Amino acid sequence: MSEDTRSETYAELAAVGPYGVHPGHALITMVEPHPGHEYAYNRWYEDDHYYAGAMAMPWMYAGRRWVAPRDLQLLRYPEKSAIAQPVSAGCYISTYWITAGRYADHMRWTVGINKRLNRDARVYQDRTHVFTAFQDHEATVYRDGAAGPRDFHALDHPYAGLVVQVIDADSPEQRTELLEWLRSRHLAKRLAGSPAAMVTIFRPTPLPLDRMSYVKQVEGVDTRLTLLWFLEADPRECWEDHFTGLDAVVEEAGLGRVELVAPFIPTVPGTDRYVADLR
């Protein structure tokens, strides 16, 4: 006898609520496998968790995983980071888009499925969440205007690199100023002539009280912005010319402190490429 999966409920749910393609929300999760567990962690994440713990869930419609081999870890700054201690911690990052207006629905499912995965011993314990947060989309700035991929394509388009930038403002009011400065003045100038095709801007949202115990509550809910720069070139090729000094520019504007600038390249799903280069 087959298990009752309440199939009739799916038809009811499909008929209600938003179902656009705009990435209204994101899950951004930067993780450090414990020493000696790099290969096992990589296989668990790619062979099971990326799907069972993320992509198979309702309203999470795009995902991509990125890695920072040791040479990319050493490019990160600032050395004293509120995000990662040491700043090189967190050699894998996964990014996922969630349909606008579906955050609450997705969270109900994700909390439930992660409790089930834990009960079934399908969660790999030998890793540390360095920077894990669900985030709300604030803005996207494009280098080429209306030409090229949109932000909802970003995790499917074969971008060659990702730079994660985290900025902390001193207050919610200053974050509002920071967002406007980024959106209307700074980013367009920085993107012009660069290998970065777009920058998406997100602000973190608090995790639910029934979250998994190994994931700490989100910091900077009222004061932090997370920027994802999507690159058409390997970050090693353009780091010096385009991604050094981002902290100084924000400091000069008087609108906050850059707490992380970190480059990544895409993983190659189904392989252990780059795992030997993490340490």
Side-chain angles (χ1 to χ4, degrees), residues 16-245:
V16 296
Y19 65 120
V21 300
H22 177 65
H25 322 276
L27 170 60
I28 301 170
T29 174
M30 188 165 75
V31 173
E32 179 74 8
H34 295 171
H37 293 265
E38 295 84 358
Y39 283 93
Y41 168 77
N42 190 53
R43 292 276 41 87
W44 164 75
Y45 199 96
E46 290 199 344
D47 296 347
D48 190 16
H49 198 63
Y50 178 84
Y51 302 103
M55 293 304 299
M57 295 196 213
W59 308 115
M60 182 171 271
Y61 68 89
R64 197 160 194 200
R65 190 164 179 249
W66 315 79
V67 62
R70 187 62 180 167
D71 61 335
L72 288 184
Q73 296 170 33
L74 295 175
L75 295 177
R76 295 180 183 181
Y77 64 91
E79 184 179 351
K80 293 183 178 179
S81 167
I83 305 300
Q85 301 89 31
V87 72
S88 57
C91 53
Y92 285 106
I93 195 165
S94 296
T95 50
Y96 302 96
W97 290 168
I98 300 167
T99 302
R102 290 296 193 169
Y103 176 73
D105 298 332
H106 176 78
M107 286 307 298
R108 293 289 295 274
W109 187 285
T110 193
V111 169
I113 201 68
N114 275 287
K115 287 181 177 179
R116 183 181 180 186
L117 290 168
N118 269 277
R119 283 197 308 269
D120 294 344
R122 284 176 64 180
V123 174
Y124 197 86
Q125 302 295 340
D126 289 298
R127 93 278 198 215
T128 299
H129 281 264
V130 176
F131 178 62
T132 291
F134 285 88
Q135 313 221 11
D136 288 341
H137 180 258
E138 285 284 6
T140 301
V141 180
Y142 296 100
R143 182 192 60 200
D144 302 324
R150 303 291 86 191
D151 51 14
F152 46 83
H153 300 124
L155 303 184
D156 295 307
H157 187 79
Y159 285 115
L162 175 76
V163 174
V164 179
Q165 180 183 9
V166 180
I167 310 175
D168 283 347
D170 290 330
S171 66
E173 294 76 20
Q174 188 183 63
R175 184 175 72 174
T176 300
E177 289 184 64
L178 170 65
L179 175 62
E180 183 56 31
W181 175 75
L182 289 167
R183 182 164 44 193
S184 63
R185 296 175 58 192
H186 171 64
L187 291 178
K189 289 192 295 186
R190 201 85 187 192
L191 285 168
S194 84
M198 72 176 83
V199 182
T200 58
I201 309 174
F202 293 90
R203 58 178 172 84
T205 59
L207 287 168
L209 296 178
D210 54 354
R211 70 192 184 277
M212 296 298 99
S213 60
Y214 50 79
V215 180
K216 66 180 180 180
Q217 187 53 274
V218 175
E219 300 170 346
V221 168
D222 297 318
T223 53
R224 178 167 288 171
L225 293 175
T226 304
L227 284 65
L228 303 179
W229 300 70
F230 290 92
L231 312 186
E232 295 172 330
D234 187 306
R236 300 173 183 92
E237 300 170 8
C238 55
W239 190 255
E240 197 68 33
D241 291 337
H242 296 285
F243 290 100
T244 57

